[in-house]
């Protein structure tokens, strides 16, 4: 099976809903589904989190990270206090991060594992930047921005998880037919994961989207965060005209001092969030 046939095969399976997820992903999805209900009782949320030891440990670690304890509050030592501190939206995002992370857990090829690690680092930086950009620049919901950024490369993670079976699947594509298959696969993976439509629409717009001036949408938030992220995605992307991301354009809506503060904060958040998620 050549590369074109492999992509066609995976895309066809995805369109039928025949997606291969690790068992650990399915467990995290059950938690995520329950947390999607804003009326989920706190005791039920605690029960669900405690049923997944990794999620419980990471919830407490995240609550104690610099991202959520800048005010110098007491150290959180239990799941109830952790959930109260970070809130349901961020707990939902944490469950989503576990889902995304688990896609790379079974990769055996060293080169593919390195790509998965770089893609994870890219994702974390984009997530932390998106949260800050939402708060400081675009004024969209910061929790939504964080969640959208965590899942914005979920299609890429899924392809990496299948690339062991199809050697050469993610090599450069000079004929540029790969993006159409990637879009189909990403769309179906997001559907299977229950990604809300506004978030899915923004993610699908990343490939060909252009930054608005001034930026004020979730798509703008993700575009700007991707541009500013210090770690690039290792995956090949569709060639397109460079959007208006020059530093002179950014200067129109973020002054130099503010940008420096945002970048410093996001780097600190990325380090603490990554440490919490790797507990």
């Amino acid at each position: 099976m050549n590369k074109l046939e492999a992509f066609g095969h995976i895309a066809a399976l995805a369109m039928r809903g025949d997606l291969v997820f690790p068992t650990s992903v399915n467990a995290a999805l059950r938690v995520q589904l329950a947390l999607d209900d804003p009326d989920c009782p706190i005791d039920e949320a605690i029960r669900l989190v405690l049923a997944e030891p990794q999620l419980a440990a990471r919830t407490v670690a995240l609550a104690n990270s610099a991202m959520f304890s800048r005010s110098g509050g007491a150290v959180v030592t239990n799941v109830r206090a952790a959930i109260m501190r970070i809130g349901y939206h961020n707990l939902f995002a944490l469950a989503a991060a576990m889902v995304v992370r688990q896609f790379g857990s079974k990769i055996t090829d060293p080169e593919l594992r390195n790509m998965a690690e770089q893609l994870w680092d890219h994702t974390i930086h984009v997530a932390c930047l998106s949260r800050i950009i939402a708060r400081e620049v675009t004024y969209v919901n910061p929790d939504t921005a964080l969640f959208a950024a965590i899942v914005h490369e979920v299609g890429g993670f899924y392809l990496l998880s299948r690339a062991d079976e199809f050697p050469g699947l993610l090599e450069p594509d000079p004929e540029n037919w790969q993006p159409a298959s990637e879009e189909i696969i990403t769309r179906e993976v997001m559907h299977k994961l229950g990604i809300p439509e506004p978030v899915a629409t923004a993610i699908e717009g990343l490939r060909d989207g252009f930054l608005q001036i001034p930026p004020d949408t979730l798509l703008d938030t993700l575009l700007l965060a991707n541009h500013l992220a210090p770690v690039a995605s290792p995956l090949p992307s569709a060639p397109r005209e460079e959007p208006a991301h020059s530093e002179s354009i950014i200067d129109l809506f973020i002054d130099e001092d503010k940008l420096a503060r945002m970048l410093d904060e996001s780097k600190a958040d990325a380090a603490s969030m990554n440490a919490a998620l790797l507990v």
Side-chain angles (χ1 to χ4, degrees):
M1 184 179 294
N2 62 33
K3 182 177 176 178
L4 177 57
E5 292 171 335
F7 259 106
H9 177 67
I10 296 172
L13 290 175
M15 291 177 71
R16 295 206 304 264
D18 190 2
L19 296 163
V20 180
F21 286 1
T23 303
S24 53
V25 166
N26 292 321
L29 280 175
R30 287 193 294 272
V31 175
Q32 193 179 5
L33 181 63
L35 294 173
D36 192 32
D37 179 3
D39 296 323
C40 177
I42 182 69
D43 287 337
E44 176 64 8
I46 292 168
R47 186 190 69 77
L48 289 167
V49 172
L50 288 174
E52 298 294 331
Q54 284 190 357
L55 181 58
R58 290 170 183 174
T59 301
V60 173
L62 187 63
N64 286 319
S65 72
M67 199 169 181
F68 291 98
S69 60
R70 285 197 176 89
S71 60
V75 174
V76 167
T77 58
N78 60 78
V79 168
R80 179 182 294 274
I83 293 175
M84 295 297 290
R85 177 175 288 182
I86 71 174
Y88 274 15
H89 285 293
N90 289 308
L91 183 57
F92 184 82
L94 180 60
M98 286 184 61
V99 169
V100 171
R101 186 70 168 155
Q102 289 298 324
F103 278 122
S105 64
K106 302 300 182 183
I107 296 173
T108 57
D109 181 271
E111 185 175 349
L112 292 174
R113 287 194 67 85
N114 288 338
M115 289 178 70
E117 288 302 316
Q118 183 177 335
L119 190 59
W120 175 250
D121 287 343
H122 167 76
T123 296
I124 289 298
H125 280 287
V126 172
C128 293
L129 278 163
S130 293
R131 181 171 175 266
I132 295 167
I133 291 167
R135 186 188 71 208
E136 302 285 341
V137 181
T138 58
Y139 306 112
V140 301
N141 186 302
D143 293 334
T144 299
L146 176 71
F147 171 72
I150 283 175
V151 298
H152 85 283
E153 287 282 12
V154 70
F157 278 104
Y158 181 75
L159 286 171
L160 279 169
S161 74
R162 301 299 307 275
D164 269 334
E165 305 168 47
F166 303 98
L169 182 69
L170 296 176
E171 290 177 356
D173 172 28
E175 296 181 7
N176 196 32
W177 48 256
Q178 179 174 326
S181 297
E182 284 185 355
E183 288 177 8
I184 293 170
I185 293 164
T186 297
R187 187 179 305 118
E188 295 304 323
V189 171
M190 289 195 296
H191 176 72
K192 180 70 176 287
L193 295 179
I195 306 299
E197 185 177 349
V199 173
T201 299
I203 292 171
E204 289 179 10
L206 277 171
R207 185 178 298 279
D208 298 309
F210 291 88
L211 188 69
Q212 297 184 126
I213 306 299
D216 61 2
T217 67
L218 181 58
L219 175 57
D220 292 332
T221 305
L222 295 176
L223 285 168
L224 189 55
N226 269 274
H227 174 67
L228 294 174
V231 180
S233 168
L235 299 177
S237 59
R240 63 177 174 87
E241 184 181 348
E242 184 65 18
H245 278 158
S246 70
E247 298 309 318
S248 61
I249 293 297
I250 292 176
D251 286 344
L252 293 175
F253 52 88
I254 310 178
D255 65 56
E256 186 175 346
D257 289 341
K258 182 176 182 178
L259 180 60
R261 290 195 302 272
M262 290 169 59
L263 292 175
D264 286 344
E265 182 181 344
S266 72
K267 287 178 182 177
D269 284 350
S272 62
M273 188 175 181
N274 210 15
L277 290 172
L278 292 176
V279 166

